[in-house]
Amino acid sequence: MTADAPAPHRATLRIVAALGGNALLRRGEALTAQAQQATIATAAGLLAELVAGGDRLVVTHGNGPQVGLLALQSAAGPAASVLPLDVLGAASEGWVGYALELGLRHALPAGAELVTILTQTVVGRDDPAFDAPVKPIGPVYASGAAHRLALARGWVVAPDGQGWRRVVASPKPLRIVEIATIERLAEAGVIVICAGGGGIPVIEAKDGVLEGIEAVIDKDAASALLAIALKADQLVMLTDVPGVYLDYGTDHQRLIRSASPDALKPHTSAFRAGSMGPKVAAACAFAEATGHVAAIGALADCAGLVAATSGTAIGIGLDLVFA
Ligand code: ADP
Ligand code: MG
C-alpha cells in the first residue's frame, strides 16, 4: 500500500487477479501493440480501483494470442533460428508485463510500486499432456489453411469456435520458482505482475537444474497454484462472461451465483475444456486448499466479484444458488 492511499474500509485482502485474454485484447480484434494497449487501459483502471480500496494485488494474465503471434513470427525466419515455446513464453511475459505496467502506472496514484516478475513454472517431464496437445494458441484459421500449416510446420491443429487453431501441450503446473520473491514483494505492498501465460514452462532435473520445455501452461491453473502458495484471501478470474453457467449457450442457461466445489463436480463436463473448465477447476482447487472463496466473472464487474455481489463465487460450504 502506498503512503497516500486512502484508509482501507475493511481488512486488507491479498487478491490474486487473473486477467483473461479479453482484458488484453478484445475477442476477434487483430493483435497489434496499439490495440492491446488500448484494451489494457480499461483493465488497468478497474484493477486500480481495487488497490485504492487498500487491497494487495498480484496480477496474472493469459498469453495465448501473444505467444501464438510470436511463434508465427519466429517460424517466418530462418529454420535454424526458430525459437522454442519456453523462450517465446518468456518474451510474451515481458511484452504483456510491460504493457500492463504502462497501463497500471497511468491508472494508479503516483508512487505506487509495481513490478513484473519473469516467472518460471515447474512442470513434470512425464506429464501426459505432452502426448495430447489441447491448448489453443495464435490466430484462428479456416480449416484448409490450418491443415496446410499443420503439415508445413509440424503443428497439431484443433477446432476452436468457428475455426481452427494450433494447439500445444499444456502440462500441469507444479511449482512457481520465484514464489518466495513474489510473496516478499506482495507483502511489502508492491503490485506484482507474474505467472504471465502460466509462467515459462521448465522441468527440473534430479540435481535441481532447470531447463525450458516446449509447452504453454494454463494461466488459470498457474494462478490457483500461485494463490494457494501466497495464501491469498481471494482468487478472482476476470473473463468476458458474467460468470459460470449451467447449460451454457442454450436458451435455458443459468448463471451460478455461488456453489461449493462438491456441488460443481457432477457438472464438470458442462464447463468446456480450454475455457471455462480450467477456471472452475482452478477455483475449486483454491477453495479446497485455502478455505477461501474464488470468483469467476466479467472483468467489468471486477469490484463486484471481490465483494461477492456479482459473478460466480466458489467456496467450501456455499449453497448452490442461481441468479
Ligand atoms: P479467458 O481468456 O478469460 O481465459 P476463455 O475463452 O478461456 O477466456 O474462457 C471464457 C469463455 O468460456 C467464455 O467466453 C465462454 O464462451 C466459455 N464458456 C464455456 N463454457 C462455459 C460455461 N459453462 N459458462 C460460462 N462460459 C463458458
Ligand atoms: Mg482461458
Side-chain angles (χ1 to χ4, degrees):
M1 214 182 349
T2 55
D4 56 351
H9 54 291
R10 51 166 162 70
T12 297
L13 297 179
R14 198 188 269 197
I15 300 172
V16 173
L19 294 176
N22 146 77
L24 308 178
L25 189 77
R26 273 177 290 274
R27 211 177 276 278
E29 196 173 16
L31 179 48
T32 66
Q34 293 82 350
Q36 182 177 276
Q37 202 65 53
T39 308
I40 283 177
T42 307
L46 293 160
L47 292 177
E49 280 175 37
L50 295 186
V51 178
D55 294 324
R56 300 216 190 292
L57 191 63
V58 175
V59 181
T60 68
H61 61 85
N63 75 343
Q66 290 77 13
V67 80
L69 176 62
L70 294 173
L72 274 178
Q73 292 174 340
S74 169
S81 56
V82 172
L83 297 171
L85 280 173
D86 58 311
V87 173
L88 296 175
S92 77
E93 275 197 333
W95 169 16
V96 177
Y98 159 59
L100 284 170
E101 283 193 29
L102 285 181
L104 281 166
R105 274 191 214 285
H106 185 68
L108 287 164
E113 287 189 69
L114 71 149
V115 70
T116 303
I117 301 268
L118 205 56
T119 311
Q120 298 172 33
T121 305
V122 178
V123 301
R125 181 190 298 272
D126 301 326
D127 192 307
F130 287 110
D131 299 321
V134 292
K135 169 87 187 162
I137 63 164
V140 178
Y141 301 100
S143 166
H147 287 92
R148 274 192 300 279
L149 281 164
L151 261 183
R153 306 236 165 103
W155 292 354
V156 181
V157 294
D160 187 42
Q162 304 299 312
W164 288 70
R165 287 175 83 188
R166 179 185 181 190
V167 287
V168 299
S170 190
K172 185 175 179 276
L174 301 177
R175 182 170 73 80
I176 289 167
V177 173
E178 297 79 4
I179 191 69
T181 313
I182 295 168
E183 176 156 31
R184 204 137 33 117
L185 287 167
E187 242 337 86
V190 179
I191 298 164
V192 185
I193 301 163
C194 62
I200 305 159
V202 295
I203 51 173
E204 189 168 18
K206 281 201 181 66
D207 57 8
V209 173
L210 298 174
E211 188 190 334
I213 188 158
E214 290 240 67
V216 175
I217 298 170
D218 180 75
K219 70 107 175 32
D220 297 314
S223 301
L225 181 69
L226 175 77
I228 292 166
L230 289 176
K231 299 180 193 70
D233 299 295
Q234 220 178 58
L235 168 62
V236 186
M237 285 170 272
L238 303 164
T239 185
D240 62 350
V241 280
V244 185
Y245 292 85
L246 281 189
D247 302 314
Y248 179 68
T250 69
D251 57 9
H252 54 280
Q253 66 179 24
R254 286 181 298 165
L255 177 67
I256 302 170
R257 281 286 296 120
S258 68
S260 66
D262 284 344
L264 291 176
K265 274 177 195 145
H267 303 289
T268 310
S269 62
F271 315 125
R272 224 179 54 211
S275 60
M276 196 45 77
K279 286 187 213 311
V280 172
C284 292
F286 175 74
E288 282 170 342
T290 64
H292 294 147
V293 172
I296 300 174
L299 170 68
D301 292 338
C302 187
L305 289 169
V306 170
T309 52
S310 47
T312 302
I314 298 173
I316 304 291
L318 291 186
D319 288 331
L320 182 59
V321 175
F322 295 97

